[in-house]
Amino acid sequence: MSSKAQTHPKSQSRNSASAPVDVEQAEAALVEHYPRLVRLAYLVLPPSLGRNRRVLTAHALAQRALPRGRKPGDEVVVPAQRGARERRNGDPGYAYVRQRVVCTALEAGLPLRWKAWPKRSQLPPLLPQVWGLRLFPRSGGSDELDLDQRLSALSGAARAAYALRGLERLDDSDVFDLLAAAGCADPGDALAEADDVEARYGLLESPEFDPCSLHARPTDLMRRRQHMKAAGVAAAAALVCGALLGLPGEGWSPDGAAAPPYARNPAGQAALDPGKLTTAAAGSWKRSARTDFSVWPARGDLVGDQALLRRALAVWARPGESVQVSATPGTPAGAPPGPAQLLFAGDVDETRVVLLYDGLRIARYAEPKEGTSGAALDFARVDGATGAEANAVVVSRADGNVRYLTAPWTGSASVSDLLKPAAKGLPLHRSADGVTDPFASPATARECTSWNALRLRDNSGAVRLSTDLGELVPAHLTAGRPGAPREASPAQWAKSACSLASVRSHGVRSVNSWAYARQALPEANGAATWICTRADTWQGGGSRILAQFQTAGPTGAVAAKAEDSPACGGRDPLVLAGVLWKSRAGNWYLLGAGSKEVVSVTASGGERVSGHVLAVRTERGARARLSGELADGRKVSTLR
């Protein structure tokens, strides 16, 4: 007979015998079965608490399950349960702490009421606490996820009934008695509701529901630093105020040496007043010599929504715990120093989006159309951005796709797959406000089977290429000698596009691809091209350089790499790299190439050639080092 056809006990507790429980007996049961009790509490607690608080609360409830204010040797009474004398469920000590865990877990799921004091279990636990980390159980499979979602739709009492059936192997009569003793108003209804979830009790033993086997991740590090700084400022202010209040006379006053609080600072208030937001005139970019974000007009169907703009500015100044905050490396995430410029406010897909610019950063605020839970705040540095670097800003990312707000001087837009340079670019439709249709972004792709780039043609006919690397502003792609890079074409990036995956989410401003040497391969195996790609960041430091060896194949091989180096850049365009290469006949060679300033290349084995390329026979797996020499005698080492 299915569980739904079972007859549940009446909605009143049976008259069962009561069993005395010694406090030491309850403590022994808690220690012995602690992981099971914590798992039971975790399953009963409402998922709305979030996984981190749910884990900590489950441990707190289990640790508070012992009788309070009693000494060893004292006894408490717990209703006995049938048919379990020889098993764990027949232990009165275990039955007592299990009942306490279920009772407090059910209380924790009750809503807070204005006219009643909250119960201890309804408040976040004081202990245990883990500062600076978020803890959550290991993820299970699709079956565990499906069961968790189904359990989350049940009431707390029904979740308790399901867990007691599955984890404790109690029959419905014992579950009824335990729920009634735990304060459940109608255990029969809870049992009937639990019948709606398929009896997949074995899944309850999986790591998905084990709050004793945990993953740890940091909390929002940027916000934590802000809070620490704010706490330090507040403590200093409190000390100053205390000292001033102790002075004779009237003590602290607005005329004192200390600055007034930020809330009364006119500049601070103006920065958070949507009425003080600045905007550029619709056609000012046509008359200005500048091509940066300062001449972007405010666009979007919600630029007049003062409530939305106020929320965006308030979240910018003091993001709440539920706000997802991200910032590119080297980007401060603090409040605006003064009134920001409004670039966009409008509906994009199922989200309201606001783009703001303060001269240093772009800030993107996004919230769902219904409510404000799940709001996000993203920052990106754009100081000094002009021309191609101020051509587009991300307004939305969803389902692996990206949408851009394009500059007002953009005449047309298209998308090109860099791995298919011969294919014609696909035209990209834009709304009247300049928002593009969504297209596949390479920023989160796991495999490099395609790499989309955005091609924007301005009103003068110039075409500029950029790509999404996970930032608010796409990275500008160029080609040519570092001192004078040119606008790139898809063909110049065809074999280097996949290397862009190594610089995603690093605050990249631009990436240049430079064919610094060409070399005839030994044994008439064709020719190779040596490419140096340099990714420069908005913060200046942290650049990433790759030297690639490219033959007739579809992609190149990385020969050398370096970080935070001037090599292959405008300041120091010199580069030297080497690679082991196997000919079609099976012979191994050490190949090397430097930029044209290199007049000779020497291998660690003593082989030396004039010119900037080298090819010498070697053995498979050989380790050789190269060095180069310039015309003035200076030495050049390989890129690393």
Side-chain angles (χ1 to χ4, degrees):
M1 181 180 295
S2 70
S3 61
K4 291 191 178 184
Q6 294 175 359
T7 301
H8 296 296
K10 300 293 182 183
S11 297
Q12 59 185 13
S13 179
R14 292 178 284 118
N15 293 325
S16 1
S18 298
V21 179
D22 186 86
V23 175
E24 289 181 338
Q25 187 179 7
E27 182 178 359
L30 176 63
V31 172
E32 180 181 359
H33 302 295
Y34 182 80
R36 177 173 292 273
L37 292 166
V38 177
R39 186 189 293 260
L40 178 62
Y42 183 82
L43 286 165
V44 178
L45 286 169
S48 59
L49 292 178
R51 301 177 78 188
N52 180 71
R53 182 177 166 188
R54 198 173 163 196
V55 164
L56 298 179
T57 302
H59 282 274
L61 297 183
Q63 293 169 17
R64 296 203 298 258
L66 291 177
R68 299 181 62 189
R70 295 179 180 273
K71 300 177 181 178
D74 291 347
E75 291 184 344
V76 294
V77 176
V78 62
Q81 298 179 22
R82 300 185 301 185
R85 291 296 180 187
E86 303 302 325
R87 298 178 288 122
R88 178 182 63 251
N89 296 328
D91 178 5
Y94 180 77
Y96 175 81
V97 292
R98 179 177 61 193
Q99 176 186 310
R100 289 294 305 151
V101 166
V102 173
C103 177
T104 53
L106 291 175
E107 288 177 351
L110 297 176
L112 295 173
R113 301 183 182 279
W114 288 104
K115 297 183 180 180
W117 288 100
K119 297 182 179 181
R120 185 183 181 190
S121 55
Q122 293 176 278
L123 301 174
L126 295 177
L127 294 172
Q129 287 288 349
V130 181
W131 299 103
L133 291 177
R134 293 188 180 276
L135 304 176
F136 50 89
R138 292 182 294 171
S139 298
S142 58
D143 291 339
E144 288 85 349
L145 177 60
D146 178 67
L147 178 59
D148 189 41
Q149 292 174 342
R150 290 177 180 272
L151 291 178
S152 67
L154 299 180
S155 65
R159 284 195 302 273
Y162 189 93
L164 290 169
R165 283 172 171 172
L167 279 181
E168 300 298 300
R169 300 294 190 266
L170 296 180
D171 59 34
D172 283 2
S173 297
D174 285 338
V175 172
F176 183 97
D177 282 349
L178 199 157
L179 290 178
C184 176
D186 198 335
D189 283 352
L191 286 163
E193 186 182 353
D195 287 340
D196 292 336
V197 179
E198 183 182 352
R200 295 179 290 176
Y201 297 137
L203 296 178
L204 298 181
E205 302 284 353
S206 72
E208 176 83 24
F209 306 108
D210 183 7
C212 291
S213 180
L214 302 170
H215 282 303
R217 294 291 185 271
T219 54
D220 191 320
L221 301 176
M222 188 68 69
R223 189 184 300 121
R224 198 165 76 202
R225 291 182 62 190
Q226 292 174 352
H227 289 175
M228 292 296 292
K229 291 179 181 179
V233 172
L239 289 173
V240 171
C241 290
L244 290 174
L245 287 171
L247 294 175
E250 297 182 359
W252 186 88
S253 71
D255 296 329
Y262 180 77
R264 286 193 250 161
N265 186 309
Q269 286 181 313
L272 303 179
D273 181 359
K276 297 294 180 64
L277 287 173
T278 64
T279 57
S284 62
W285 61 272
K286 298 178 182 179
R287 301 182 296 274
S288 175
R290 307 176 67 173
T291 53
D292 58 17
F293 291 110
S294 68
V295 294
W296 277 35
R299 289 171 286 175
D301 55 347
L302 298 178
V303 292
D305 189 335
Q306 296 293 299
L308 170 64
L309 300 180
R310 186 178 298 278
R311 288 195 298 274
L313 290 169
V315 170
W316 187 351
R318 48 185 189 280
E321 290 294 331
S322 64
V323 178
Q324 300 178 16
V325 181
S326 69
T328 58
T331 305
Q341 179 182 343
L342 177 62
L343 303 182
F344 178 84
D347 289 320
V348 182
D349 299 324
E350 298 301 318
T351 308
R352 295 189 183 96
V353 177
V354 178
L355 294 178
L356 299 164
Y357 171 62
D358 68 354
L360 172 67
R361 303 164 293 174
I362 293 286
R364 175 185 176 270
Y365 170 77
E367 67 178 27
K369 286 186 177 180
E370 300 298 331
T372 57
S373 61
L377 183 64
D378 305 311
F379 295 98
R381 280 184 66 169
V382 290
D383 47 315
T386 184
E389 296 167 350
N391 264 353
V393 178
V394 171
V395 289
S396 172
R397 278 199 181 91
D399 301 324
N401 295 326
V402 64
R403 285 177 181 260
Y404 287 101
L405 175 68
T406 55
W409 49 81
T410 300
S412 63
S414 62
V415 177
S416 295
D417 184 352
L418 297 182
L419 302 187
K420 300 176 182 177
K424 187 178 181 180
L426 298 176
L428 188 61
H429 175 263
R430 297 181 302 142
S431 70
D433 290 324
V435 177
T436 68
D437 283 352
F439 64 94
S441 167
T444 57
R446 295 185 178 181
E447 297 182 359
C448 188
T449 56
S450 66
W451 196 284
N452 283 338
L454 179 67
R455 299 186 72 188
L456 297 179
R457 184 185 298 272
D458 63 25
N459 292 331
S460 68
V463 178
R464 295 180 171 89
L465 194 67
S466 57
T467 190
D468 184 16
L469 294 180
E471 323 287 357
L472 282 181
V473 178
H476 183 203
L477 300 182
T478 59
R481 190 169 180 81
R486 306 180 304 276
E487 295 300 330
S489 67
Q492 292 170 309
W493 274 94
K495 293 185 178 183
S496 303
C498 291
S499 66
L500 291 169
S502 65
V503 295
R504 288 186 291 204
S505 301
H506 281 82
V508 173
R509 179 174 189 156
S510 62
V511 191
N512 185 60
S513 177
W514 173 35
Y516 69 88
R518 287 178 173 82
Q519 180 177 22
L521 296 174
E523 303 179 13
N525 276 210
T529 303
W530 293 82
I531 303 289
C532 183
T533 58
R534 179 185 175 91
D536 287 319
T537 66
W538 288 97
Q539 60 180 326
S543 58
R544 296 198 169 198
I545 306 100
L546 293 179
Q548 299 178 69
F549 175 74
Q550 299 180 353
T551 57
T555 59
V558 175
K561 61 178 66 176
E563 293 187 18
D564 207 13
S565 167
C568 196
R571 289 178 52 197
D572 183 9
L574 301 176
V575 60
L576 174 66
V579 68
L580 289 177
W581 174 81
K582 182 181 179 181
S583 71
R584 288 193 290 264
N587 298 317
W588 286 90
Y589 288 84
L590 171 64
L591 305 181
S595 49
K596 292 184 178 180
E597 294 85 356
V598 177
V599 296
S600 67
V601 181
T602 304
S604 57
E607 300 89 345
R608 183 178 186 275
V609 297
S610 297
H612 64 107
V613 296
L614 172 142
V616 296
R617 285 288 297 270
T618 188
E619 300 294 330
R620 178 179 181 178
R623 294 188 177 183
R625 294 184 178 179
L626 300 179
S627 62
E629 186 175 344
L630 305 180
D632 59 5
R634 286 185 297 154
K635 299 295 183 181
V636 179
S637 59
T638 52
L639 187 69
R640 60 178 177 270

